[in-house]
Short mmCIF file of all heavy atoms in Angstrom, two decimals:
data_model
loop_
_atom_site.label_atom_id
_atom_site.label_comp_id
_atom_site.label_asym_id
_atom_site.label_seq_id
_atom_site.Cartn_x
_atom_site.Cartn_y
_atom_site.Cartn_z
N GLY A 6 165.65 -4.58 19.68
CA GLY A 6 164.29 -3.98 19.97
C GLY A 6 163.80 -4.44 21.43
O GLY A 6 162.65 -4.39 21.72
N ASP A 7 164.83 -4.82 22.32
CA ASP A 7 164.41 -5.43 23.58
C ASP A 7 164.43 -4.32 24.63
O ASP A 7 165.28 -4.41 25.49
CB ASP A 7 165.26 -6.51 23.96
CG ASP A 7 164.88 -7.28 25.14
OD1 ASP A 7 163.73 -7.29 25.60
OD2 ASP A 7 165.93 -7.98 25.79
N PHE A 8 163.60 -3.30 24.52
CA PHE A 8 163.52 -2.18 25.51
C PHE A 8 162.21 -1.41 25.42
O PHE A 8 161.48 -1.61 24.39
CB PHE A 8 164.75 -1.28 25.26
CG PHE A 8 164.60 -0.50 23.99
CD1 PHE A 8 164.23 0.80 23.94
CD2 PHE A 8 164.99 -1.07 22.78
CE1 PHE A 8 164.07 1.50 22.78
CE2 PHE A 8 164.96 -0.39 21.45
CZ PHE A 8 164.46 0.94 21.49
N GLY A 9 161.84 -0.73 26.38
CA GLY A 9 160.66 0.08 26.42
C GLY A 9 161.09 1.57 26.10
O GLY A 9 160.57 2.16 25.06
N VAL A 10 161.93 2.06 26.89
CA VAL A 10 162.38 3.41 26.72
C VAL A 10 163.89 3.39 26.89
O VAL A 10 164.39 2.67 27.81
CB VAL A 10 161.87 4.43 27.74
CG1 VAL A 10 162.45 5.77 27.60
CG2 VAL A 10 160.34 4.52 27.57
N SER A 11 164.70 4.13 26.13
CA SER A 11 166.13 4.04 26.24
C SER A 11 166.74 5.49 26.39
O SER A 11 166.30 6.44 25.72
CB SER A 11 166.75 3.40 24.97
OG SER A 11 168.11 3.46 25.12
N ARG A 12 167.74 5.64 27.21
CA ARG A 12 168.54 6.88 27.17
C ARG A 12 169.60 6.64 26.17
O ARG A 12 170.43 5.69 26.28
CB ARG A 12 169.11 7.00 28.63
CG ARG A 12 169.67 8.40 28.90
CD ARG A 12 171.26 8.64 28.89
NE ARG A 12 172.09 7.77 28.19
CZ ARG A 12 172.86 8.23 27.21
NH1 ARG A 12 172.73 9.44 26.69
NH2 ARG A 12 173.70 7.45 26.59
N TYR A 13 169.79 7.63 25.24
CA TYR A 13 170.72 7.42 24.23
C TYR A 13 171.04 8.72 23.67
O TYR A 13 170.24 9.65 23.83
CB TYR A 13 170.19 6.54 23.10
CG TYR A 13 171.15 5.87 22.11
CD1 TYR A 13 171.87 4.81 22.53
CD2 TYR A 13 171.17 6.44 20.88
CE1 TYR A 13 172.80 4.37 21.58
CE2 TYR A 13 172.19 5.82 19.97
CZ TYR A 13 172.89 4.83 20.40
OH TYR A 13 173.87 4.29 19.48
N GLY A 14 172.17 8.88 23.14
CA GLY A 14 172.52 10.15 22.50
C GLY A 14 173.24 9.98 21.12
O GLY A 14 173.64 8.90 20.66
N TRP A 15 173.22 11.15 20.53
CA TRP A 15 173.89 11.11 19.13
C TRP A 15 174.60 12.43 18.94
O TRP A 15 174.13 13.44 19.13
CB TRP A 15 172.75 10.94 18.08
CG TRP A 15 173.37 10.77 16.69
CD1 TRP A 15 173.59 11.73 15.71
CD2 TRP A 15 173.71 9.46 16.04
NE1 TRP A 15 174.07 11.19 14.62
CE2 TRP A 15 174.14 9.81 14.70
CE3 TRP A 15 173.67 8.25 16.51
CZ2 TRP A 15 174.61 8.82 13.96
CZ3 TRP A 15 174.04 7.26 15.58
CH2 TRP A 15 174.53 7.52 14.36
N ASN A 16 175.84 12.35 18.48
CA ASN A 16 176.63 13.42 18.22
C ASN A 16 176.94 13.47 16.68
O ASN A 16 177.19 12.54 16.01
CB ASN A 16 178.05 13.34 18.88
CG ASN A 16 177.94 13.47 20.39
OD1 ASN A 16 177.26 14.36 20.88
ND2 ASN A 16 178.54 12.42 21.06
N GLY A 17 176.57 14.70 16.12
CA GLY A 17 176.86 14.87 14.72
C GLY A 17 178.41 14.75 14.34
O GLY A 17 179.19 15.36 15.08
N ASP A 18 178.55 14.05 13.28
CA ASP A 18 179.95 13.92 12.84
C ASP A 18 180.39 14.68 11.67
O ASP A 18 181.49 14.60 11.17
CB ASP A 18 180.35 12.41 12.70
CG ASP A 18 179.39 11.66 11.83
OD1 ASP A 18 178.31 12.26 11.45
OD2 ASP A 18 179.77 10.65 11.43
N TYR A 19 179.33 15.56 11.17
CA TYR A 19 179.68 16.41 10.01
C TYR A 19 178.63 17.54 10.11
O TYR A 19 177.59 17.42 10.79
CB TYR A 19 179.60 15.74 8.75
CG TYR A 19 178.40 14.89 8.40
CD1 TYR A 19 177.29 15.54 7.60
CD2 TYR A 19 178.26 13.58 8.68
CE1 TYR A 19 176.20 14.79 7.35
CE2 TYR A 19 177.22 12.87 8.39
CZ TYR A 19 176.06 13.46 7.86
OH TYR A 19 174.98 12.64 7.54
N ASN A 20 178.96 18.77 9.62
CA ASN A 20 178.19 19.88 9.73
C ASN A 20 176.95 19.92 8.76
O ASN A 20 176.98 20.69 7.85
CB ASN A 20 178.95 21.05 9.55
CG ASN A 20 178.34 22.36 10.02
OD1 ASN A 20 177.42 22.41 10.79
ND2 ASN A 20 178.73 23.48 9.33
N ASP A 21 176.01 19.17 9.00
CA ASP A 21 174.80 19.08 8.06
C ASP A 21 173.64 18.42 8.87
O ASP A 21 173.99 17.53 9.66
CB ASP A 21 175.08 18.33 6.75
CG ASP A 21 173.88 18.39 5.83
OD1 ASP A 21 174.05 19.35 5.00
OD2 ASP A 21 172.87 17.54 5.89
N ALA A 22 172.43 18.91 8.63
CA ALA A 22 171.37 18.37 9.51
C ALA A 22 171.10 16.97 9.32
O ALA A 22 170.62 16.24 10.16
CB ALA A 22 170.06 19.23 9.10
N SER A 23 171.54 16.41 8.13
CA SER A 23 171.40 15.10 7.77
C SER A 23 172.05 14.21 8.87
O SER A 23 171.60 12.90 8.99
CB SER A 23 171.72 14.56 6.38
OG SER A 23 173.13 14.84 6.26
N THR A 24 173.06 14.60 9.51
CA THR A 24 173.74 13.75 10.55
C THR A 24 172.88 13.36 11.64
O THR A 24 172.97 12.36 12.20
CB THR A 24 175.05 14.48 11.02
OG1 THR A 24 175.73 13.61 11.79
CG2 THR A 24 174.73 15.63 11.89
N PHE A 25 171.84 14.26 11.91
CA PHE A 25 170.74 13.95 12.80
C PHE A 25 169.49 13.30 12.25
O PHE A 25 168.93 12.43 12.80
CB PHE A 25 170.47 15.21 13.67
CG PHE A 25 171.59 15.70 14.44
CD1 PHE A 25 172.29 16.82 13.93
CD2 PHE A 25 172.05 15.10 15.52
CE1 PHE A 25 173.42 17.28 14.64
CE2 PHE A 25 173.21 15.57 16.23
CZ PHE A 25 173.82 16.75 15.73
N LEU A 26 169.11 13.86 11.15
CA LEU A 26 167.82 13.46 10.46
C LEU A 26 167.83 12.06 9.97
O LEU A 26 166.91 11.25 9.94
CB LEU A 26 167.48 14.45 9.43
CG LEU A 26 167.25 15.86 9.82
CD1 LEU A 26 167.01 16.71 8.69
CD2 LEU A 26 166.00 16.01 10.86
N ASP A 27 169.06 11.70 9.35
CA ASP A 27 169.10 10.25 8.83
C ASP A 27 168.95 9.18 9.77
O ASP A 27 168.50 8.03 9.32
CB ASP A 27 170.46 10.18 8.05
CG ASP A 27 170.52 10.87 6.71
OD1 ASP A 27 169.49 11.39 6.27
OD2 ASP A 27 171.63 11.09 6.17
N ILE A 28 169.30 9.42 11.03
CA ILE A 28 169.12 8.28 11.92
C ILE A 28 167.70 7.70 12.20
O ILE A 28 167.38 6.76 12.68
CB ILE A 28 169.81 8.46 13.39
CG1 ILE A 28 169.10 9.62 13.95
CG2 ILE A 28 171.29 8.77 13.21
CD1 ILE A 28 169.67 9.93 15.51
N MET A 29 166.71 8.66 11.84
CA MET A 29 165.37 8.35 11.96
C MET A 29 164.66 7.78 10.72
O MET A 29 163.38 7.36 10.79
CB MET A 29 164.52 9.44 12.46
CG MET A 29 164.88 9.88 13.82
SD MET A 29 164.85 8.63 15.09
CE MET A 29 163.05 8.47 15.21
N THR A 30 165.41 7.56 9.62
CA THR A 30 164.82 6.94 8.39
C THR A 30 164.65 5.38 8.73
O THR A 30 165.29 4.85 9.63
CB THR A 30 165.84 7.03 7.27
OG1 THR A 30 167.13 6.46 7.54
CG2 THR A 30 165.95 8.46 6.91
N SER A 31 163.71 4.74 8.05
CA SER A 31 163.40 3.39 8.33
C SER A 31 164.62 2.46 7.96
O SER A 31 164.68 1.39 8.63
CB SER A 31 162.17 2.96 7.54
OG SER A 31 162.39 3.11 6.10
N SER A 32 165.45 2.84 7.13
CA SER A 32 166.64 1.90 6.86
C SER A 32 167.80 2.21 7.73
O SER A 32 168.83 1.43 7.64
CB SER A 32 166.90 2.25 5.30
OG SER A 32 167.36 3.56 5.06
N SER A 33 167.80 3.19 8.65
CA SER A 33 169.03 3.45 9.44
C SER A 33 169.13 2.34 10.58
O SER A 33 168.25 1.99 11.23
CB SER A 33 168.85 4.73 10.11
OG SER A 33 169.84 5.02 11.04
N SER A 34 170.30 1.91 10.66
CA SER A 34 170.65 0.88 11.78
C SER A 34 170.66 1.61 13.10
O SER A 34 170.56 0.99 14.13
CB SER A 34 172.05 0.27 11.54
OG SER A 34 173.10 1.24 11.58
N ALA A 35 170.68 2.93 13.21
CA ALA A 35 170.65 3.69 14.41
C ALA A 35 169.21 3.95 14.92
O ALA A 35 169.05 4.42 16.02
CB ALA A 35 171.47 5.07 14.29
N ASN A 36 168.25 3.63 14.06
CA ASN A 36 166.83 3.77 14.43
C ASN A 36 166.35 2.68 15.24
O ASN A 36 165.59 1.77 14.88
CB ASN A 36 166.09 3.91 13.19
CG ASN A 36 164.56 4.22 13.38
OD1 ASN A 36 164.15 4.29 14.45
ND2 ASN A 36 163.82 4.29 12.28
N SER A 37 166.89 2.62 16.45
CA SER A 37 166.47 1.51 17.40
C SER A 37 165.08 1.44 17.75
O SER A 37 164.68 0.27 18.02
CB SER A 37 167.33 1.68 18.75
OG SER A 37 168.71 1.68 18.51
N GLY A 38 164.34 2.45 17.70
CA GLY A 38 162.90 2.36 18.02
C GLY A 38 162.12 1.90 16.92
O GLY A 38 160.95 1.71 17.08
N LYS A 39 162.76 1.67 15.73
CA LYS A 39 162.16 1.14 14.52
C LYS A 39 160.95 2.02 14.05
O LYS A 39 159.99 1.60 13.52
CB LYS A 39 161.65 -0.24 14.70
CG LYS A 39 162.64 -1.27 15.21
CD LYS A 39 163.88 -1.39 14.31
CE LYS A 39 164.83 -2.39 14.86
NZ LYS A 39 166.25 -2.06 14.66
N TRP A 40 161.07 3.40 14.28
CA TRP A 40 160.00 4.25 13.85
C TRP A 40 160.01 4.27 12.26
O TRP A 40 161.12 4.13 11.69
CB TRP A 40 160.36 5.69 14.42
CG TRP A 40 159.37 6.72 13.96
CD1 TRP A 40 158.09 6.89 14.55
CD2 TRP A 40 159.58 7.73 12.96
NE1 TRP A 40 157.52 7.93 13.89
CE2 TRP A 40 158.35 8.57 12.89
CE3 TRP A 40 160.62 8.19 12.20
CZ2 TRP A 40 158.13 9.57 12.11
CZ3 TRP A 40 160.46 9.17 11.37
CH2 TRP A 40 159.20 9.98 11.33
N PHE A 41 158.86 4.38 11.71
CA PHE A 41 158.85 4.32 10.33
C PHE A 41 157.68 5.26 9.77
O PHE A 41 156.59 5.23 10.27
CB PHE A 41 158.41 2.94 9.81
CG PHE A 41 158.08 2.68 8.34
CD1 PHE A 41 159.21 2.65 7.50
CD2 PHE A 41 156.86 2.69 7.89
CE1 PHE A 41 158.98 2.56 6.05
CE2 PHE A 41 156.63 2.58 6.47
CZ PHE A 41 157.72 2.59 5.66
N ASN A 42 158.03 6.07 8.81
CA ASN A 42 157.20 7.01 8.22
C ASN A 42 157.63 7.18 6.72
O ASN A 42 158.77 7.78 6.45
CB ASN A 42 157.24 8.39 8.90
CG ASN A 42 156.22 9.41 8.32
OD1 ASN A 42 156.28 9.80 7.24
ND2 ASN A 42 155.22 9.85 9.24
N LYS A 43 156.77 6.73 5.78
CA LYS A 43 157.09 6.78 4.39
C LYS A 43 157.36 8.19 3.86
O LYS A 43 158.30 8.44 3.05
CB LYS A 43 156.01 6.22 3.57
CG LYS A 43 155.97 4.68 3.60
CD LYS A 43 154.83 4.18 2.77
CE LYS A 43 154.79 2.62 2.76
NZ LYS A 43 153.64 2.14 1.94
N GLU A 44 156.52 9.08 4.34
CA GLU A 44 156.73 10.58 3.94
C GLU A 44 158.10 11.12 4.41
O GLU A 44 158.76 11.87 3.63
CB GLU A 44 155.68 11.43 4.43
CG GLU A 44 155.67 12.87 3.93
CD GLU A 44 154.49 13.68 4.41
OE1 GLU A 44 153.60 13.20 5.28
OE2 GLU A 44 154.37 14.88 4.05
N TYR A 45 158.34 10.88 5.65
CA TYR A 45 159.70 11.33 6.21
C TYR A 45 160.83 10.65 5.29
O TYR A 45 161.77 11.45 4.74
CB TYR A 45 159.84 10.82 7.62
CG TYR A 45 161.19 11.31 8.31
CD1 TYR A 45 161.17 12.58 8.92
CD2 TYR A 45 162.29 10.52 8.33
CE1 TYR A 45 162.25 13.06 9.59
CE2 TYR A 45 163.43 11.03 9.05
CZ TYR A 45 163.42 12.09 9.64
OH TYR A 45 164.64 12.58 10.30
N ASP A 46 160.82 9.42 5.08
CA ASP A 46 161.82 8.75 4.26
C ASP A 46 161.91 9.39 2.91
O ASP A 46 163.10 9.73 2.42
CB ASP A 46 161.63 7.25 4.03
CG ASP A 46 161.95 6.51 5.32
OD1 ASP A 46 162.43 7.05 6.37
OD2 ASP A 46 161.61 5.30 5.32
N ALA A 47 160.87 9.65 2.29
CA ALA A 47 160.74 10.21 0.92
C ALA A 47 161.24 11.65 0.87
O ALA A 47 161.99 12.04 -0.01
CB ALA A 47 159.29 10.22 0.29
#
């Protein structure tokens, strides 16, 4: 978490929206910004 803004990219590795949506869940190791929203996770 040692950054302000980061240039980063993500490529989907399977043909489903979850390949992109899951990275923003609070439990995802790819969620570097540590964004958290209970409703989103649910």
Side-chain angles (χ1 to χ4, degrees):
D7 188 18
F8 67 100
V10 174
S11 173
R12 194 252 32 111
Y13 196 76
W15 187 266
N16 293 310
D18 53 349
Y19 53 93
N20 189 29
D21 188 87
S23 64
T24 192
F25 299 104
L26 298 173
D27 285 349
I28 63 172
M29 293 305 293
T30 59
S31 60
S32 60
S33 172
S34 62
N36 181 0
S37 301
K39 309 299 183 216
W40 180 74
F41 176 77
N42 183 296
K43 284 182 183 180
E44 184 179 7
Y45 183 87
D46 286 355

